[in-house]
Amino acid sequence: MCTIDEKFVRETDEELIAQDVKIHARPIHVAMAWMDKNSIYGDLFDKQVWEPLMEIYRRLYPSGDFSVPAMLEGGVALRDRMYPVRVSVGFGYFRVEPLKAIDIKHEELELIFQHNPEQGWKAFYGVCDLWDFAYGVDDLVKTNSPASELLNNAQSSLSAISRILTGSLDIDAAVQCACLTAELSMKAALRHLGSSDDEIRNFSHHLKKLSDALIAKAPRATDERLRAACTEFPNYVQTRYASHGLTRLELMALAMRAQFVAADAIRRVTDRNMGGEMEARHDCPARPEV
């Protein structure tokens, strides 16, 4: 069997970059192209094909990450810090332990539950929100929902919140991302439920009106919690041009609130409900106020 050469890998890799194929997926595409070109049949991951290919890729991208990316990269707030959360890709039935999804040292998390248990449980339910949102969006997009574009934009805004707030400077942009996350998620749920583009457009950026409309179409036990959360957002338009006046601690609370609203909206139009299932357990307290 002929060995794959670096020139072929480089040329094919450049073509895949132009097609916006992510780095973790490009080696597979290159391997398939190589085997097709040379009329090679059999296992794509045969060591005679795969090992030389990956040696080349590691030379081309010494710091490249070729692992399967997360379903969603978000975060949860603990006190005045945002800790990354990775919602991993899973298949079939598997166990999910929300607290283990938080990128935080075990000792630090233990101290938080010891001295600030409400903060710990907020983070616990925050992970559930991220999980329900990520998998719910994936479910809807896979069914070619008419809300797919809104869902993708909502997910992008949600991920941006944590990226901004994990930093120490220039974090004010998190306000706009939080407002957009809540708005786009509720609009996506309404669009999936049959609301027209004109109807959705008429809501503008009014989160309370959006929540009322969504509750009317898809009521749930969390109706009042959603309504209350949507009254606690700053004005989306005004904060574009004037200072929002929020402290770092308040920005963290806003981020968690936005993630709850987004997840609650998606839970109303999918079967995803880790948050509700956890809250119904005898060993989990009621969800703290969002």
Side-chain angles (χ1 to χ4, degrees), residues 259-280:
Q259 291 175 179
F260 161 73
V261 172
D264 190 79
I266 299 306
R267 284 191 281 254
R268 290 169 188 266
V269 291
T270 67
D271 294 328
R272 304 292 176 175
N273 192 20
M274 184 190 296
E277 291 168 2
M278 290 297 180
E279 193 168 2

Side-chain angles (χ1 to χ4, degrees), residues 4 9 13 16 21-33 44-45 50 53-54 57 66:
I4 194 167
V9 174
D13 187 70
L16 294 168
V21 178
K22 302 297 186 293
I23 188 172
H24 75 278
R26 296 206 293 267
I28 293 176
H29 286 272
V30 172
M32 289 190 296
L44 181 68
F45 298 103
W50 192 251
L53 169 63
M54 290 311 299
Y57 258 106
F66 300 99

Side-chain angles (χ1 to χ4, degrees), residues 179-191:
C179 292
L180 267 179
T181 296
E183 176 187 334
L184 293 173
S185 298
M186 288 192 287
K187 286 183 174 179
L190 286 168
R191 185 71 183 88

Side-chain angles (χ1 to χ4, degrees), residues 132-146:
D132 285 341
F133 178 84
Y135 275 86
V137 167
D138 186 63
D139 291 342
L140 293 171
V141 170
K142 282 178 177 176
T143 63
N144 296 315
S145 167

